[in-house]
Structures are given as C-alpha cells and as structure tokens.
Amino acid sequence: MPTFTALTTLNGKKAAEGLGEAMERLNPEPTGVGVFEVEDGSGLWEVGGYFTDTPDETALAVLAAAFEAKPFVVSELPETDWVAHVRRELAPVEAGRFFVYGSHDADKLPEGRIPLLIEAAMAFGTGHHGTTLGCLKALDRLIDEGFEAAKVADIGCGTAVLAMAAARVWDGDIIASDIDQVAVDVAEANLKANGMSGAVQCVEAAGFDHPDLQAHSPYDLIFANILKGPLIALAPEISASLRPGGQAILSGILNEQADDVLSVYSRNEFNLHFRDAIGEWTTLILTKQGKT
C-alpha cells in the first residue's frame, strides 16, 4: 500500500497547531498529522500529514495560503521493509570496551569487548544516540581510571543498556528504573536476551520514588540519561542518593543546556569531573563532594 506525505513550514506555534487541526478535516483524511518545532532557532514549525490515498493538492494549497505557510510538498514514499532496512543501517556501536549490537550483527563481535545485545526496536537507548553513546564512553573512562562501584542506579533506564554495562563489569547491587512500565518490561527482556536475568533489578518509578531505590542508597554511581528539565528537578535527590566521592553520569543534555545543568549541580555539592560532546548532545561526569 503506498504512503504519501504532505509537509510544510510556517511561523508560530498557534498557526501551526491550527493548520494541523485543519488538515485532519481533509478528504481524503490523513492517517496521522504531526506538528513540530524546527529546532534550529528559526522560529519555524513543521506540519506534516501521512495519507494512504493521494492527498488533494488543491485543498492543501488553500490551507497553506490560509495559514500563511509555504506550499505543501507532497511525496510518495517507496514501499520499504523497514525492519530489514533498520537492521542494514543500524551498525554496531563501539564505546571503549563496550560493543552494542543487534542480533543481525552477532557475527561481528570483536574479541575482548564486552557485548551488549540490544535490538533496534526495543525502546530508546540502542547506543547509537549521542546521549547513550556518551554515557557508555563516560563509564568506560571511569573504569579506566580505576573507579569501582558496588551500588549502581540507572534512572530513566530505557533499554537498561547502561545498567547492563555496569553489571558486566561489577558484581553488586544494580537497579534500573523507568517511569514507563513498557520500558521496564523491555529492560527485563534485554537482560534475558543477554543471559543476565537477575543481574539488574528493574522497577517502575519516577525519579527515586520507589522503596527499593531508597533502600539501596547511597550509591557509588548514578546514571541519569533523561532531559534537562528532569535532570535539574532531580539534582537534590541525586545528590542525597550518592555517597561522597561517588560519580553521576548525566546526559540527555543539549550542548547549549550543559552550563545550566552544571550550575544547578554545583549548588547541590557536585564538581565537574569530565565533559564530553557528541554531536549536539553533552554528557557530564560529576563527582559528589566530600570525603569517601
């Protein structure tokens, strides 16, 4: 079945949302409409629709004119086996001693690397995104420096790839949490696929709001690969949950947001240990102040 897209850009959130609502009333109807801000500082918004029947280009032209948008660009997408396509394009990721791969690349595992099997479809955190890759590289750096952790928390774990990486290196109490039960189920499935069932405890929780997370505190290492807003909100809890001299690996931070995050964490008893940028994303290693 063919799929058609119709895309345009215009200024302003209100106008974009209005155009998106108007598109939903078209005939033939779109199967989905998206409204997104273009993250380049231009103030532009993108509005797009997906259609299984050829869209009415005259109606689209009228809508574009009414909302002062650029003319819609209509395209027919080729029929693609997306699972096969993703498997071809999603190459293994090497992050120091760690090797993240899909089952389709099981024959490419280098000798001497720590393997982490993560299928591309299994939630956010395959290792290809700059945030996850940055966290794995940060962990690799700490290990090279001789850091050891007996208690580890992975907050907002997604696939639990970070918790699994820690569990591959250290024996201890390792717990992974996510606000989404689906992600928790995925984390459990990934542990099983890696032959690591029971190596990491997975719980559904917002931040540290779970008795098991609180019971294991204070931690030696905390991962938090989420977003700027939640990271800032969690700063006091992360500080309270980490032992003096412990390390926090934070990501999900756009490069231009890193100084704001650092400022908040410096007020919560953290010193910057290392800062790394991969593409548009920054990863921070922070050390909790105080004597160990």
Side-chain angles (χ1 to χ4, degrees), residues 80 98 174 202 208 247:
T80 305
F98 300 106
I174 300 176
C202 302
F208 290 84
Q247 304 288 342

Side-chain angles (χ1 to χ4, degrees), residues 148-274:
E148 295 185 2
K151 294 183 178 181
V152 179
D154 182 2
I155 306 300
C157 65
T159 60
V161 65
L162 302 177
M164 288 195 298
R168 288 287 201 198
V169 178
W170 300 306
D171 291 326
D173 295 324
I174 300 176
I175 187 166
S177 69
D178 201 285
I179 197 171
D180 182 357
Q181 183 59 46
V182 173
V184 175
D185 293 341
V186 165
E188 293 279 14
N190 283 330
L191 284 160
K192 183 176 181 180
N194 281 270
M196 298 177 66
S197 295
V200 176
Q201 181 184 358
C202 302
V203 299
E204 181 183 2
F208 290 84
D209 188 20
H210 192 284
D212 290 344
L213 279 165
Q214 296 164 13
H216 287 79
S217 178
Y219 294 94
D220 304 302
L221 173 64
I222 294 175
F223 295 104
N225 180 17
I226 38 181
L227 293 170
K228 174 189 173 183
L231 282 174
I232 287 176
L234 282 172
E237 287 184 82
I238 290 178
S239 180
S241 301
L242 197 64
R243 67 164 173 80
Q247 304 288 342
I249 296 177
L250 310 181
S251 198
I253 308 164
L254 291 168
N255 294 335
E256 61 267 25
Q257 299 172 339
D259 288 341
D260 291 341
V261 174
L262 275 172
S263 177
V264 171
Y265 276 80
S266 68
R267 297 196 297 270
N268 283 272
E269 303 182 290
F270 283 95
N271 295 324
L272 176 64
H273 180 70
F274 186 74

Side-chain angles (χ1 to χ4, degrees), residues 26-264:
L26 287 171
N27 186 18
E29 295 180 3
T31 57
V33 174
V35 179
F36 306 98
E37 184 176 11
V38 180
E39 295 184 355
D40 61 359
S42 65
L44 288 174
W45 287 69
E46 181 180 83
V47 179
Y50 288 85
F51 300 80
T52 54
D53 295 311
T54 306
D56 185 336
E57 295 195 41
T58 300
L60 288 171
V62 170
L63 287 181
F67 287 89
E68 298 183 349
K70 291 184 177 180
F72 277 92
V73 176
V74 177
S75 304
E76 181 177 356
L77 299 180
E79 295 188 34
T80 305
D81 182 344
W82 288 108
V83 172
H85 176 76
V86 167
R87 287 182 171 179
R88 286 194 302 270
E89 298 297 324
L90 210 54
V93 171
E94 298 185 52
R97 56 180 41 79
F98 300 106
F99 185 84
V100 185
Y101 69 102
S103 58
H104 57 288
D105 284 320
D107 60 337
K108 298 178 182 178
L109 178 60
E111 188 174 346
R113 298 294 179 88
I114 297 174
L116 296 166
L117 171 61
I118 303 289
E119 297 293 6
M122 298 298 277
F124 176 80
T126 62
H128 294 77
H129 197 270
T131 60
T132 310
L133 176 59
C135 289
L136 287 170
K137 291 178 67 177
L139 175 60
D140 186 67
R141 170 178 285 272
L142 287 177
I143 296 167
D144 283 344
E145 292 174 355
F147 179 77
E148 295 185 2
K151 294 183 178 181
V152 179
D154 182 2
I155 306 300
C157 65
T159 60
V161 65
L162 302 177
M164 288 195 298
R168 288 287 201 198
V169 178
W170 300 306
D171 291 326
D173 295 324
I174 300 176
I175 187 166
S177 69
D178 201 285
I179 197 171
D180 182 357
Q181 183 59 46
V182 173
V184 175
D185 293 341
V186 165
E188 293 279 14
N190 283 330
L191 284 160
K192 183 176 181 180
N194 281 270
M196 298 177 66
S197 295
V200 176
Q201 181 184 358
C202 302
V203 299
E204 181 183 2
F208 290 84
D209 188 20
H210 192 284
D212 290 344
L213 279 165
Q214 296 164 13
H216 287 79
S217 178
Y219 294 94
D220 304 302
L221 173 64
I222 294 175
F223 295 104
N225 180 17
I226 38 181
L227 293 170
K228 174 189 173 183
L231 282 174
I232 287 176
L234 282 172
E237 287 184 82
I238 290 178
S239 180
S241 301
L242 197 64
R243 67 164 173 80
Q247 304 288 342
I249 296 177
L250 310 181
S251 198
I253 308 164
L254 291 168
N255 294 335
E256 61 267 25
Q257 299 172 339
D259 288 341
D260 291 341
V261 174
L262 275 172
S263 177
V264 171

